[in-house]
Amino acid sequence: MCGIVGYAGPRPSSPSSRPVDVVLAGLARLEYRGYDSAGVAVLDGDAVRIDKRAGKLANLREEVAGHEESSSQVAIGHTRWATHGAPTDANAHPHRGGKHGELALVHNGIIENFAPLKAELVAEGYEFDSETDSEVAAHLVAREMTRLADEAGAEEGAAGADLTEAMRRVVSRLEGAFTLLAVDAAAPDRVVAARRNSPLVVGLGEGENFLGSDVAAFIDATKEALEVGQDQIVTVTPDDVAIIGFDGAPVTDAKRYTIEWDTTAAQKGGYPSFMAKEIHEQASAVADTLRGRMENGRLHLDEMKIDPALLRSIDKIVVVACGTAANAGSVVKYAIEHWCRIPVEVELAHEFRYRDPVVTEKTLVIAISQSGETMDTLMAVRHAKEQGAKVVAICNTRGSTIPRESDAALYLNVGPEIAVASTKAYLGQIGACYLLGLYLAQERGNFFPEEIAEIMHDLEGLPDKVQAVLDNAAQVEQLAHDMADATSVLFLGRHVGYPTAMEGALKLKEIAYIHAEGFAAGELKHGPIALVDEGQPVFIIVPSPRGRDSLHSKVVSNIQEIRARGARTMVIAEEGDTDVEPYADVVIRVPATRTLFAPLLTIIPLQIFACELATAKGLDVDQPRNLAKSVTVE
C-alpha cells in the first residue's frame, strides 16, 4: 500500500540535492503504492518541519519548492493509500508526535489496537489532529523519547534520548501490520524504522543511506540493498546501518544483495503510460522468466530447495493468491493437473485460512504475489506452514516477505512493474507456474525427459508469438477508442479461456471504471444471458479447433446464442479458424499454440483494450482511483 522513504546523508545544500528532494524523488517512484496524499518531514534546526497535502505528489512539490534550504541531514516521506480517515491534508503523513510536536512519523499498514492506545494518550492530555491510527504511533514514540530523557536526567528533548530504544518500547505494544519511520529533533542525524508484516528495505550508499518500502525508492542512488527481517528495527545514519530485533538483540545476519535493474526500467521510455510500456514489454518478460531453465535435457529450478522425494509424495496442490494473481493460478490449474495428475485447488488467499482448509504434510501450497508483500497471501502462507504444508512462492520482488517465509521461491525476473494494474507480471506468473508444473511432472516421472524437452521447446517459442500479438495492437486500440462510451462489457471463455475472461474483465474494471464481468461460456445459458440485449459488447475467447474440437464447437454455439440476442461480438480466435467468422462482428487473431499456452496470447488484446479505452476516457491508467500496487493490509 503506502510508499515510504527515509534518507540520511550529507548531500550538499543545493536545490537538486537537498534531503527533502532526495525523498521527493523516491516518493515519485513509489507513488504507484498510494496516491491519496503525500507528505515529507525534515529537521529544520531544533524543530521538525512537516509539509503534506491531499492528492497526488505534484501538490506537495509545489508546497515544498517555496521553502528555504535547511541544514538537515535526514528526511522522511510518505504517499498514502487511505485506510483510517479520508484523504485530507490533516490525515496525510507524516504525523507529529509529542505535546510539542518534536517528532515526525510515517506509517504503512494498520495498527489494529489503536483505539485503546489512543484513549490512553488522550487521558494523559495528548491532542490529535487526524483520524488516523498512525498518529497514535507518533505520540507513543514521542512519549517514550520524553521518558528516556527523564530517565537520563536530561530535560525534555535534550540530547541523549534514544530514538531507537523509544521505537523498540512502542512496537512491543502494537498489534497489526506496520512499517514505521521516525525522525526526532533530539536525534538529528538518524532515521529509525520498524517492520512487522509490511515491507521495508535499506539502500546502502557512500556516505548516505536510505530506507524504502521498495528498492525503487533509491534505485537512482545505489544498487546495494539490505533486507530487513520480520520484527526488526533499523537505524540509519549517513555512515552506519544498525539492526536489532524487537527484543533488542543485535541482528548480524541481514542479507545484502544487488538490485538487478536500473532507473530506465522505472521510466516510461516514450510510451504514454507505464501500463502501455509494460504491455509492450511482455515478449521479453516471458523470455526472461523462462531463460536458462533447461540443462543437459532436464529442467532445473535452482531456487527449488524442497527435497524431490517430498515432491513425489505430494497428493494435493493449493494455489493461494488474490486478484490478477488468482486468475494466473486459475490458468495454471489446468496445466498442472494435466501434466502431474495431482488435484489442484485455487483459493482466494483472504478466504483460505478462514474456512478451515484441509492441508497436510502432503500438500504443496503455491503462493502467487507480484510484490511478495500481499498481506492476505502472506497470512495464508503462514497458516499453511502451521499445518505442515510446503510452500513455493511465485514472486517478482527479491527480498520480499512471502519468498523469505516460503520453503522455495521462483522469481519472475520481469523487472519492476509500475502501473497498478498488472500485465507483464501476470504473464510472468503463468510462465513461472508452468515451469513449476513441468518440474513436478519431471520429478514425479509423469513424462519422459524428451517429452519435457518438447514442451519446453514450445514454451520457449512463446515470446515470439507474444510479440506477434503486440505487433498487431492497432486493431484493438482502434476498437477501444470506438467503444469509449461503453458502459458494460462482458467476457466469455471456456477451459483456460475462462480465467482469461475473468482477467480481461478485471483489467477493465480496474482502470476504466465500467461494469465488466467474466463468465464461463458454458454457464451463459444458466443465467448470465439475461444481461445480453441489443448492442451489448461481448468478448469471446475461442479455444483452438485443433486441441479440443468439441469445446471449440460449443463456444462457437455460444457466440451464435448471444449474437441472436443482439450482442456485438468481439472474437479472439486462432489464426486460420474460419468457423467463427460468420458470427463475429470483430475477429482478433492470435498465433496458434498449445491449448494450455493460449492464455499467454489471448489476454494481450484484452489488456490493450482496457488500457486504450481508459486512455480514450481521459483516465489515469497507471494510478486508478482507490487502488494501490501492493496490498499490505488484510
Side-chain angles (χ1 to χ4, degrees):
M1 293 278 182
C2 306
I4 53 176
V5 181
Y7 175 75
R11 294 217 177 181
S13 297
S14 69
S16 61
S17 59
R18 300 175 301 172
V20 67
D21 294 311
V22 175
V23 168
L24 285 170
L27 291 179
R29 290 187 294 274
L30 294 181
E31 198 173 11
Y32 65 89
R33 299 181 70 92
Y35 31 87
D36 291 332
S37 61
V40 292
V42 297
L43 298 185
D44 191 1
D46 58 356
V48 176
R49 189 185 78 214
I50 293 177
D51 296 293
K52 52 185 183 177
R53 289 291 179 270
K56 294 191 175 183
L57 188 61
N59 298 343
L60 177 66
R61 284 187 181 279
E62 293 178 4
E63 176 68 19
V64 172
H67 289 309
E68 294 183 2
E69 175 59 39
S70 76
S71 59
S72 174
Q73 289 185 306
V74 300
I76 58 175
H78 187 273
T79 61
R80 182 174 185 241
W81 187 85
T83 54
H84 292 70
T88 63
D89 287 355
N91 289 330
H93 298 216
H95 291 291
R96 288 191 182 277
K99 294 181 179 179
H100 305 293
E102 59 274 10
L103 175 140
L105 177 143
V106 297
H107 168 220
N108 177 26
I110 290 179
I111 299 171
E112 295 174 354
N113 63 332
F114 82 97
L117 294 172
K118 182 174 182 178
E120 175 186 313
L121 290 163
V122 169
E124 295 180 15
Y126 286 85
E127 297 181 355
F128 286 78
D129 299 319
S130 76
E131 305 167 87
T132 68
D133 55 338
S134 309
E135 191 178 3
V136 172
H139 283 309
L140 288 173
V141 176
R143 184 177 67 177
E144 291 304 321
M145 286 289 283
T146 299
R147 290 175 174 176
L148 284 163
D150 291 343
E151 291 170 12
E155 295 181 359
E156 183 177 335
D162 190 332
L163 184 57
T164 304
E165 175 61 17
M167 181 72 78
R168 192 191 70 80
R169 291 185 180 187
V170 169
V171 293
S172 65
R173 301 193 62 194
L174 303 182
E175 298 173 6
F178 52 83
T179 294
L180 304 173
L181 268 67
V183 294
D184 191 284
D189 65 339
R190 66 196 56 216
V191 181
V192 175
R195 174 185 181 272
R196 169 177 285 171
N197 295 331
S198 185
L200 179 64
V201 63
V202 178
L204 304 171
E206 294 290 337
E208 58 183 2
N209 290 301
F210 307 80
L211 291 159
S213 47
D214 191 307
V215 296
F218 47 75
I219 189 63
D220 64 332
T222 180
K223 288 190 175 184
E224 296 303 308
L226 192 70
E227 293 180 359
V228 180
Q230 176 79 335
D231 287 357
Q232 292 183 351
I233 298 169
V234 57
T235 302
V236 300
T237 67
D239 301 311
D240 188 39
V241 174
I243 303 178
I244 62 171
F246 281 9
D247 60 359
V251 174
T252 58
D253 59 351
K255 182 179 179 182
R256 181 168 176 161
Y257 64 98
T258 300
I259 304 162
E260 297 178 352
W261 52 274
D262 57 27
T263 53
T264 60
Q267 297 170 356
K268 293 179 183 177
Y271 288 93
S273 64
F274 281 110
M275 185 176 182
K277 173 178 180 273
E278 288 155 12
I279 288 172
H280 285 272
E281 289 176 337
Q282 289 183 114
S284 60
V286 173
D288 290 341
T289 299
L290 302 177
R291 182 173 291 112
R293 302 297 188 174
M294 290 296 289
E295 184 178 326
N296 298 323
R298 286 183 60 83
L299 182 61
H300 286 269
L301 301 182
D302 294 337
E303 306 98 322
M304 288 294 291
K305 306 300 184 184
I306 301 175
D307 186 347
L310 189 149
L311 295 177
R312 288 190 286 271
S313 72
I314 293 297
D315 61 12
K316 183 173 72 171
I317 294 174
V318 180
V319 179
V320 292
C322 302
T324 285
N327 290 333
S330 295
V331 167
V332 298
K333 166 185 168 70
Y334 292 90
I336 294 176
E337 286 188 337
H338 177 70
W339 292 331
C340 302
R341 310 313 298 161
I342 307 174
V344 179
E345 301 172 3
V346 181
E347 293 272 359
L348 293 172
H350 43 79
E351 295 295 326
F352 175 68
R353 67 189 180 116
Y354 297 106
R355 68 167 187 82
D356 193 20
V358 179
V359 177
T360 72
E361 293 83 355
K362 292 188 176 183
T363 303
L364 180 68
V365 171
I366 302 173
I368 308 177
S369 168
Q370 189 280 143
S371 68
E373 304 290 351
T374 310
M375 183 55 61
D376 303 297
T377 306
L378 175 59
M379 300 310 291
V381 166
R382 290 175 177 170
H383 182 73
K385 295 196 71 175
E386 288 171 0
Q387 308 307 308
K390 293 295 183 182
V391 179
V392 178
I394 306 295
C395 184
N396 192 40
T397 308
R398 293 185 180 274
S400 55
T401 304
I402 291 173
R404 295 213 310 258
E405 296 198 14
S406 299
D407 297 290
L410 290 181
Y411 288 102
L412 310 185
N413 299 322
V414 301
E417 190 177 64
I418 305 301
V420 167
S422 181
T423 52
K424 68 176 181 178
Y426 176 71
L427 266 65
Q429 288 164 350
I430 294 173
C433 287
Y434 283 161
L435 291 173
L436 177 59
L438 287 170
Y439 180 78
L440 290 172
Q442 173 182 275
E443 297 304 309
R444 294 168 63 88
N446 297 92
F447 289 116
F448 293 112
E450 56 269 24
E451 292 175 305
I452 297 286
E454 181 183 353
I455 297 171
M456 277 299 298
H457 178 269
D458 290 350
L459 186 56
E460 289 169 342
L462 261 293
D464 289 341
K465 295 181 178 182
V466 169
Q467 189 60 53
V469 180
L470 293 169
D471 290 342
N472 292 315
Q475 176 195 15
V476 181
E477 292 170 349
Q478 185 58 53
L479 178 65
H481 284 268
D482 293 344
M483 293 177 58
D485 293 331
T487 58
S488 174
V489 181
L490 305 182
F491 299 79
L492 302 178
R494 295 194 71 160
H495 195 250
V496 289
Y498 172 34
T500 301
M502 297 286 288
E503 176 63 12
L506 178 59
K507 284 289 144 302
L508 203 55
K509 293 173 189 175
E510 286 178 317
I511 62 172
Y513 317 147
I514 65 175
H515 172 259
E517 295 294 338
F519 296 107
E523 189 71 5
L524 189 69
K525 54 189 173 292
H526 297 285
I529 200 168
L531 295 171
V532 178
D533 57 8
E534 192 68 31
Q536 172 65 54
V538 184
F539 280 90
I540 308 98
I541 299 100
V542 180
S544 169
R546 299 174 300 103
R548 292 173 176 267
D549 183 64
S550 62
L551 196 56
H552 173 269
S553 62
K554 291 182 188 303
V555 175
V556 173
S557 295
N558 292 140
I559 302 173
Q560 296 176 61
E561 291 165 2
I562 58 174
R563 182 76 176 274
R565 288 159 175 83
R568 183 183 183 192
T569 54
M570 281 75 66
V571 175
I572 300 176
E574 183 180 285
E575 292 172 349
D577 182 358
T578 59
D579 293 345
V580 302
E581 292 176 356
Y583 316 109
D585 292 296
V586 177
V587 180
I588 302 166
R589 297 292 184 182
V590 296
T593 190
R594 289 175 180 258
T595 296
L596 291 172
F597 295 166
L600 291 174
L601 306 178
T602 54
I603 189 57
I604 297 172
L606 303 183
Q607 295 171 337
I608 295 169
F609 177 79
C611 184
E612 289 300 318
L613 191 146
T615 300
K617 290 167 67 72
L619 301 173
D620 186 339
V621 299
D622 289 336
Q623 297 178 349
R625 67 188 183 198
N626 302 333
L627 299 180
K629 185 67 176 173
S630 178
V631 182
T632 57
V633 296
E634 187 180 16

